[in-house]
C-alpha cells in the first residue's frame, strides 16, 4: 500500500490555458466551410479525415492556425464520407 500512495503523491497538476481569440476565430472560419466535425492543420495546410480513416487535403485552403487537431462543435454535418 505504501508504494501505491507514493506513486499518487507525485502527480503533477495539469495547467490549462485559454485558447487565444484569433486562433478560435480562424478555426471557426474553417469549421463553417467544411462538412466535417474535425480537421487537421499541418504546415499551414488543412486536412479532413474520412470515415475510412484516410485523409483529404483541402488544396484550395491555407490556414494560419498552428499545427494540430481541431474539433468543430455545434455544427450540423451532412457528409456521408467525412468524419
Amino acid at each position: 500500500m505504501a508504494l501505491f500512495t507514493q506513486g499518487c503523491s507525485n502527480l503533477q497538476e495539469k495547467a490549462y490555458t485559454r485558447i487565444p481569440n484569433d486562433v478560435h476565430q480562424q478555426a471557426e472560419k474553417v469549421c463553417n466551410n467544411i462538412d466535417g466535425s474535425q480537421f487537421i492543420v499541418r504546415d499551414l495546410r488543412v486536412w479532413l479525415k474520412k470515415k475510412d480513416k484516410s485523409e483529404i487535403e483541402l488544396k484550395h485552403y491555407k490556414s494560419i492556425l498552428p499545427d494540430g487537431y481541431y474539433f468543430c462543435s455545434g455544427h450540423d454535418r451532412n457528409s456521408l464520407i467525412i468524419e
Side-chain angles (χ1 to χ4, degrees), residues 25-56:
Q25 291 170 350
Q26 288 297 320
E28 189 67 23
K29 285 181 185 178
V30 176
C31 286
N32 287 334
N33 289 299
I34 63 172
D35 197 21
S37 61
Q38 58 190 315
F39 64 94
I40 304 160
V41 175
R42 276 191 231 113
D43 299 324
L44 304 179
R45 298 188 315 226
V46 179
W47 298 79
L48 299 178
K49 192 168 271 203
K50 293 172 57 177
K51 290 186 179 181
D52 68 2
K53 305 300 180 203
S54 63
E55 294 178 348
I56 301 171

Side-chain angles (χ1 to χ4, degrees), residues 3-18:
L3 184 61
F4 176 73
T5 56
Q6 281 182 342
C8 290
S9 65
N10 291 334
L11 293 177
Q12 295 179 357
E13 286 189 38
K14 290 185 179 182
Y16 294 96
T17 56
R18 181 175 160 77

